């Protein structure tokens, strides 16, 4: 599914998560709030929305009209929010978390609404948190019960480094003292945390509102369900450290001992867009003396630590197991580990004695199901050295102190990785040469061969990791072109790496080639549409921290890369040169993709994506080419983006590939369409974007995840590209 951008800004997909609002059944008369984004921090300002939003953020204007950027691909974009016209006004109080997994309720009614917000329970009035009292003596019985119910959970949450006062104040603010429908029994969800893949507990399905096809519809969303408010509070504290992104984003909140600083850092981290959010938390903490909870928590931790210090030092049993000279590996097992004062991690620095500690690696031991810790040491990580290996074990305590637990030695007699690199077919008219790899051997297996190449002209500024293709005789080959290396002439450095069965890269040799790059004859990527160089630019959508569509445990970024790899190998076998955006799981900015394509001397640009929809019934294949929009001018391609020749050739390319895909797969034909996607707008060459099926459809997802179907898709794409070249060469 294409991440759409009209200004080349990164946008990640959201699938019915962003733009979701709880219905009146859930919120009563309370307002909805929107806040932080897990992947790329940023906030929505309902007063003046930025034109440049991140990839999983709903985009609306202050007038309530949807930005054309949110024009759907048929029915796949189902999640936009009409902020201006929504009856439930966004009031910027709490936050969406990663992929919309947390949808918070807040209590910020107008003066006229305050009487409606009040909830009568056993003759007591429980008011919104924003109806602040001036003195703790005004705390009513319901509020006292609420604080008592969450206190232990807030204290337990302190173990995650979150001040109890902060957790309690957020619970008050986001649930209205536990009066929101989701917060009440049997759900007990105080913070509106939605269901996610890492949640193994119970869930509750609640009607929510989504903006679909220009109108709001009611859909069902799943939220986490807790046995008690206490459990909800504990889970919320863990939420801040449950992913690497959150650990980094909220690092100034976690372990902060001053609630005033913690509240402000929570706001600074993007948890809420309300400029007064920190002040509201501080006001609640000071009004209800919640800072006393912080003092209690600190004292209990200190007392416990003093007791632990008096006990004996950490100890463990160490053993070498699984020594294998064929694979060049062994395991170090740490068992019967006793650490009275607790610990954060177990580290195992390891090195071979061949050249001192020049190959030392600090491994992090992994906890096993039986409670042991284990590290697997591979010689491939240590320059492939044979001989004596040293592995020492250190416990890292909660204060960051390293405590030695001992060490073990092992001797490895390594069978070396080997291979021969040969330069062939050095064509000085085209600036190309082949690298042929023969006599390959590796004790831990061969899953692939990588050939990093760069010219000496400017260091390694043109370094490209090329993937070699296995030939029928068992050798590997890759064609290198000066077009992939800034058209540099001179000496090219060529290295060889075997990728073993575990995915590790093992070097086996190096060579070089003298290259004479031809004068650039122009290309479509430079606006010369009369030239066909048989250079194709392939763009595997998404990557890195941007997974694209994700359903049934399958991510779009993995599928696009797998299909691209097949297309590349097939095109190269047909004599085409292929340039790619990425060859691994890395993120590349949309505008950077276009810049790389424009510098590649390529004839065409083909971006590979997988679709998604709010409806699991949606299916089929569709292909896009550029539709100019005057209100979204090109940033880097002003001269050629609307060039009629480019658009006509893009049309030809789109229809050739779409026809080939439908004929080969029998998939539902969603047709050739037009959109102003950034990669179609900012590329100079004829450009298309392929949506190869709907990952949200269970049947299509299963088919897309098979090697056989990926092969079918790749063959069809190649045939479509060949048909385009044949037609254009005759024009």
């Amino acid at each position: 599914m294409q991440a759409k951008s009209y200004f080349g800004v990164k946008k990640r997909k959201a699938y019915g998560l962003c733009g979701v609002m709880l219905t009146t059944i859930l919120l009563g008369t309370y307002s909805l709030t929107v806040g932080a984004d897990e992947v790329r921090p940023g906030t929505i300002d309902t007063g003046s929305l930025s034109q440049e939003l991140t990839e999983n953020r709903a985009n609306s204007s202050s007038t309530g009209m949807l930005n054309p950027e949110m024009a759907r691909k048929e029915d796949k974009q189902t999640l936009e929010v009409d902020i201006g016209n929504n009856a439930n006004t966004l009031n910027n109080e709490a936050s969406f978390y990663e992929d919309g997994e947390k949808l918070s309720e807040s209590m910020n009614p107008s003066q006229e609404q305050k009487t409606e917000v009040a909830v009568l329970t056993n003759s007591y009035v429980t008011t919104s948190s924003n109806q602040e009292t001036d003195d703790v003596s005004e705390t009513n019985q319901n509020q006292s019960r609420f604080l008592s119910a969450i206190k232990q959970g807030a204290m337990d949450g302190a173990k995650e480094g979150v001040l109890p006062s902060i957790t309690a104040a957020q619970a008050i603010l986001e649930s209205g003292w536990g009066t929101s429908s989701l917060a009440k029994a049997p759900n007990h969800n105080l913070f509106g945390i939605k269901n996610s893949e890492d949640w193994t507990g119970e869930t509750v399905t609640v009607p929510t509102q989504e903006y679909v096809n220009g109108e709001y519809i009611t859909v069902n969303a799943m939220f986490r369900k807790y046995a008690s408010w206490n459990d909800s509070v504990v889970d919320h504290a863990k939420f801040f450290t449950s992913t690497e992104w959150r650990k980094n984003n909220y690092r100034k909140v976690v372990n902060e001992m001053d609630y005033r600083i913690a509240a402000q850092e929570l706001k600074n981290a993007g948890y809420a867009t309300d400029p007064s959010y920190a002040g509201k938390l501080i006001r609640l903490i000071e009004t209800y003396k919640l800072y006393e909870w912080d003092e209690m928590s600190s004292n209990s931790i200190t007392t416990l630590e003093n007791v632990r210090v008096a006990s004996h030092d950490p100890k463990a049993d160490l053993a070498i197991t699984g020594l294998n000279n064929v694979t060049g590996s062994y395991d170090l097992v740490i068992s019967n580990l006793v650490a009275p004062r607790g610990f954060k991690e177990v580290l195992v620095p390891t090195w071979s004695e061949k050249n001192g500690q020049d190959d030392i690696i600090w491994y992090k031991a992994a906890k096993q199901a039986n409670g042991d810790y284990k590290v697997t040491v591979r010689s491939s990580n240590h320059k492939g050295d044979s001989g004596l290996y040293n592995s020492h074990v250190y416990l890292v305590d909660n204060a960051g102190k390293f405590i030695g637990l001992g060490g073990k030695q092992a001797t490895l007699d390594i069978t070396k990785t080997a291979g021969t690199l040969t330069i062939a077919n050095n064509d000085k008219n085209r600036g190309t040469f082949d690298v042929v790899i023969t006599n390959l051997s590796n004790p831990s297996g061969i899953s692939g061969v990588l050939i990093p190449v760069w010219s000496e002209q400017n260091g390694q500024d043109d370094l490209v990791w090329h993937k070699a293709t296995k030939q029928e005789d068992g050798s590997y080959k890759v064609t290198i072109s000066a077009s992939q290396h800034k058209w540099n002439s001179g000496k090219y450095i060529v290295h060889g790496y075997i990728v073993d069965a575990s995915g590790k890269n093992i070097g086996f040799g190096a060579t070089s080639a003298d290259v004479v790059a031809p004068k650039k004859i122009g290309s479509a990527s430079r606006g010369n549409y009369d030239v066909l160089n048989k250079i194709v630019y392939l763009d595997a959508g998404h990557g890195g921290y941007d997974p694209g569509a994700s359903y049934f445990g399958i991510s779009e970024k993995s599928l696009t890369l797998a299909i691209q790899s097949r297309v590349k190998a097939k095109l190269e076998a047909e004599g085409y040169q292929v340039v790619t955006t990425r060859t691994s799981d890395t993120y590349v900015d949309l505008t950077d993709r276009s810049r790389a394509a424009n510098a590649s001397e390529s004839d065409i640009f083909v971006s590979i994506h997988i679709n998604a929809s709010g409806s699991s019934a949606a299916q089929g294949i569709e292909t896009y080419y550029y539709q100019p929009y005057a209100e979204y001018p090109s940033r880097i391609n002003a001269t050629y983006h609307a060039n009629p020749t480019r658009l006509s050739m893009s049309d030809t390319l789109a229809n050739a590939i779409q026809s080939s895909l439908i004929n080969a797969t029998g998939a539902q034909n969603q047709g050739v369409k037009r959109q102003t996607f950034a990669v179609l707008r900012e590329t100079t060459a004829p450009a298309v974007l392929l949506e190869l099926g709907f990952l949200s459809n269970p049947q299509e997802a299963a088919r897309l995840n098979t090697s056989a179907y990926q092969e079918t898709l790749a063959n069809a794409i190649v045939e479509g590209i060949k048909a385009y070249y044949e037609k254009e060469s005759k024009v």
Side-chain angles (χ1 to χ4, degrees):
M1 181 177 179
Q2 164 65 7
K4 298 184 287 186
S5 171
Y6 286 88
F7 290 97
V9 178
K10 303 181 289 293
K11 294 179 66 61
R12 201 185 72 176
K13 290 187 282 299
Y15 309 105
L17 299 174
C18 293
V20 176
M21 293 176 291
L22 297 181
T23 60
T24 306
I25 294 175
L26 180 59
L27 294 181
T29 58
Y30 308 151
S31 305
L32 177 69
T33 63
V34 179
D37 178 9
E38 176 78 356
V39 177
R40 290 178 290 280
T43 58
I44 295 179
D45 182 353
T46 59
S48 59
L49 289 177
S50 170
Q51 290 181 321
E52 300 184 357
L53 302 176
T54 54
E55 208 167 273
N56 66 339
R57 184 69 70 195
N59 189 356
S60 313
S61 70
S62 58
T63 64
M65 298 297 292
L66 287 177
N67 189 308
E69 171 148 355
M70 292 303 161
R72 63 184 180 88
K73 300 183 211 175
E74 293 300 318
D75 62 348
K76 70 190 264 189
Q77 300 292 334
T78 64
L79 41 112
E80 322 309 341
V81 179
D82 184 344
I83 295 177
N85 294 334
N86 180 32
N88 293 318
T89 310
L90 300 177
N91 86 338
N92 299 332
E93 195 123 314
S95 65
F96 281 105
Y97 274 94
E98 171 181 278
D99 292 331
E101 57 193 336
K102 177 179 182 296
L103 177 61
S104 297
E105 300 169 77
S106 68
M107 308 276 284
N108 192 18
S110 65
Q111 190 63 40
E112 294 79 6
Q113 294 173 313
K114 286 184 178 181
T115 57
E116 297 180 33
V117 173
V119 179
L120 296 176
T121 307
N122 296 328
S123 303
Y124 297 103
V125 178
T126 302
T127 63
S128 161
S129 61
N130 292 321
Q131 295 178 267
E132 299 167 350
T133 60
D134 293 325
D135 191 273
V136 71
S137 63
E138 297 186 27
T139 305
N140 65 31
Q141 293 186 26
N142 284 343
Q143 292 169 343
S144 296
R145 293 192 195 100
F146 182 79
L147 292 176
S148 296
I150 69 170
K151 183 175 182 178
Q152 187 57 54
M155 301 294 279
D156 291 342
K159 299 174 184 177
E160 303 296 328
V162 183
L163 286 172
S165 63
I166 292 293
T167 300
Q170 288 188 278
I172 295 169
L173 193 62
E174 298 186 28
S175 74
W177 293 94
T179 62
S180 71
S181 296
L182 193 61
K184 294 178 180 178
N187 304 319
H188 299 109
N189 191 331
L190 294 171
F191 304 92
I193 301 178
K194 297 186 76 176
N195 184 34
S196 58
E197 293 182 357
D198 60 339
W199 176 247
T200 58
E202 294 186 59
T203 60
V204 58
T205 301
V206 177
T208 67
Q209 292 272 301
E210 293 188 10
Y211 195 74
V212 182
N213 298 335
E215 62 181 1
Y216 289 99
I217 64 171
T218 299
V219 300
N220 292 323
M222 297 178 65
F223 292 81
R224 298 185 182 185
K225 183 178 179 180
Y226 303 96
S228 65
W229 283 342
N230 184 81
D231 291 349
S232 176
V233 172
V234 172
D235 188 46
H236 180 256
K238 294 178 179 179
F239 214 76
F240 288 104
T241 59
S242 60
T243 69
E244 289 301 320
W245 183 90
R246 295 194 194 99
K247 288 179 182 178
N248 180 64
N249 191 59
Y250 296 108
R251 64 187 183 280
K252 295 184 179 180
V253 178
V254 177
N255 296 323
E256 174 56 54
M257 302 304 294
D258 189 321
Y259 65 86
R260 302 171 188 84
I261 297 175
Q264 187 57 53
E265 292 297 344
L266 192 63
K267 170 66 176 67
N268 294 343
Y271 183 92
T273 60
D274 181 4
S276 61
Y277 187 74
K280 290 177 181 179
L281 295 181
I282 294 170
R283 170 76 173 180
L284 288 168
I285 292 170
E286 294 179 347
T287 299
Y288 299 100
K289 298 183 180 180
L290 300 176
Y291 49 78
E292 294 178 351
W293 294 14
D294 300 339
E295 296 172 2
M296 295 169 60
S297 175
S298 177
N299 291 336
S300 64
I301 292 173
T302 301
T303 300
L304 180 61
E305 189 64 24
N306 289 335
V307 172
R308 289 175 174 171
V309 168
S311 64
H312 57 280
D313 292 332
K315 61 182 181 180
D317 296 326
L318 310 179
I320 298 292
T321 65
L323 192 149
N324 190 326
N325 286 317
V326 176
T327 61
S329 64
Y330 65 86
D331 296 332
L332 177 66
V333 178
I334 303 103
S335 60
N336 302 319
L337 177 59
V338 178
R341 293 186 294 275
F343 64 97
K344 294 194 291 186
E345 57 187 356
V346 180
L347 300 180
V348 183
T350 300
W351 66 97
S352 70
E353 287 200 346
K354 185 174 182 180
N355 292 298
Q357 292 188 345
D358 69 332
D359 61 335
I360 189 169
I361 294 176
W362 284 76
Y363 294 96
K364 182 178 179 179
K367 190 175 184 178
Q368 308 300 296
N370 63 357
D372 294 346
Y373 285 77
K374 187 177 76 170
V375 162
T376 298
V377 177
R378 294 184 175 86
S379 62
S380 58
N381 297 331
H382 298 269
K383 302 182 178 182
D385 289 342
S386 292
L388 187 66
Y389 277 69
N390 295 284
S391 291
H392 289 180
V393 180
Y394 288 88
L395 198 72
V396 183
D397 68 14
N398 292 321
K401 181 181 178 181
F402 284 57
I403 305 171
L405 298 179
K408 287 289 184 179
Q409 292 181 321
T411 300
L412 288 173
D413 184 10
I414 309 300
T415 301
K416 293 292 186 179
T417 299
T420 303
L421 294 169
T422 304
I423 304 299
N425 303 321
N426 193 336
D427 189 338
K428 295 185 178 180
N429 293 318
R430 295 181 58 85
T432 63
F433 63 91
D434 293 336
V435 180
V436 181
I437 307 97
T438 56
N439 305 319
L440 282 172
S441 64
N442 184 52
S444 57
I446 302 172
S447 64
V449 176
L450 298 177
I451 308 296
V453 178
W454 66 95
S455 69
E456 284 192 333
Q457 187 164 316
N458 291 298
Q460 291 189 342
D461 70 335
D462 61 332
L463 171 66
V464 176
W465 284 76
H466 301 273
K467 184 177 181 180
T469 302
K470 191 173 185 178
Q471 308 298 297
E472 291 184 358
D473 62 0
S475 65
Y476 286 75
K477 186 181 77 171
V478 62
T479 299
I480 311 300
S481 172
S483 66
Q484 302 162 311
H485 297 271
K486 300 184 176 183
W487 292 100
N488 290 335
S489 293
K491 187 176 183 180
Y492 278 51
I493 307 301
V494 180
H495 285 186
Y497 286 84
I498 285 174
V499 183
D500 71 9
S502 69
K504 299 293 184 180
N505 295 342
I506 308 169
F508 63 85
T511 188
S512 63
D514 293 322
V515 176
V516 178
K519 293 183 179 180
K520 300 177 186 178
I521 60 175
S523 65
S525 63
R526 305 298 177 95
N528 186 356
Y529 301 119
D530 295 327
V531 174
L532 294 176
N533 294 319
K534 293 191 73 174
I535 301 175
V536 176
Y537 193 100
L538 297 179
D539 174 51
H542 307 279
Y545 61 75
D546 174 16
S550 295
Y551 291 83
F552 314 107
I554 309 168
S555 66
E556 181 181 0
K557 68 175 183 178
S558 300
L559 293 179
T560 60
L561 189 60
I563 295 168
Q564 175 192 267
S565 178
R566 294 173 183 272
V567 174
K568 180 177 184 294
K570 295 177 186 299
L571 285 173
E572 289 175 341
E574 295 279 351
Y576 292 83
Q577 297 176 46
V578 179
V579 189
T580 61
T581 297
R582 63 186 183 94
T583 58
S584 60
D585 186 19
T586 55
Y587 176 80
V588 182
D589 179 88
L590 295 179
T591 304
D592 289 341
R593 294 170 189 252
S594 299
R595 288 196 177 100
N598 294 344
S600 69
E601 302 293 328
S602 57
D603 305 318
I604 57 175
F605 175 94
V606 180
S607 188
I608 301 171
H609 287 259
I610 310 297
N611 227 328
S613 171
S615 170
S616 62
Q619 61 178 309
I621 295 173
E622 58 192 14
T623 301
Y624 290 85
Y625 72 99
Y626 180 57
Q627 172 64 62
Y629 284 138
E631 59 266 41
Y632 296 106
S634 171
R635 283 185 168 184
I636 66 173
N637 193 31
T639 303
Y640 297 106
H641 74 105
N643 182 283
T645 301
R646 184 180 98 98
L647 296 181
S648 176
M649 295 174 75
S650 297
D651 184 4
T652 300
L653 178 61
N655 277 281
I657 297 178
Q658 178 73 10
S659 177
S660 180
L661 284 166
I662 298 303
N663 290 336
T665 65
Q668 183 173 316
N669 189 355
Q670 294 286 354
V672 172
K673 303 173 182 178
R674 303 184 68 179
Q675 261 294 356
T676 183
F677 300 142
V679 293
L680 301 182
R681 180 179 62 250
E682 305 298 350
T683 45
T684 304
V688 297
L689 186 147
L690 315 178
E691 297 281 9
L692 299 176
F694 283 77
L695 198 56
S696 51
N697 183 299
Q699 291 75 33
E700 286 206 333
R703 189 161 55 249
L704 285 162
N705 202 36
T706 66
S707 177
Y709 193 65
Q710 292 172 15
E711 184 76 3
T712 298
L713 290 169
N715 283 328
I717 294 169
V718 170
E719 290 304 312
I721 291 172
K722 290 168 61 180
Y724 166 82
Y725 272 90
E726 182 177 358
K727 183 172 182 178
E728 288 298 326
S729 65
K730 296 178 180 179
V731 173

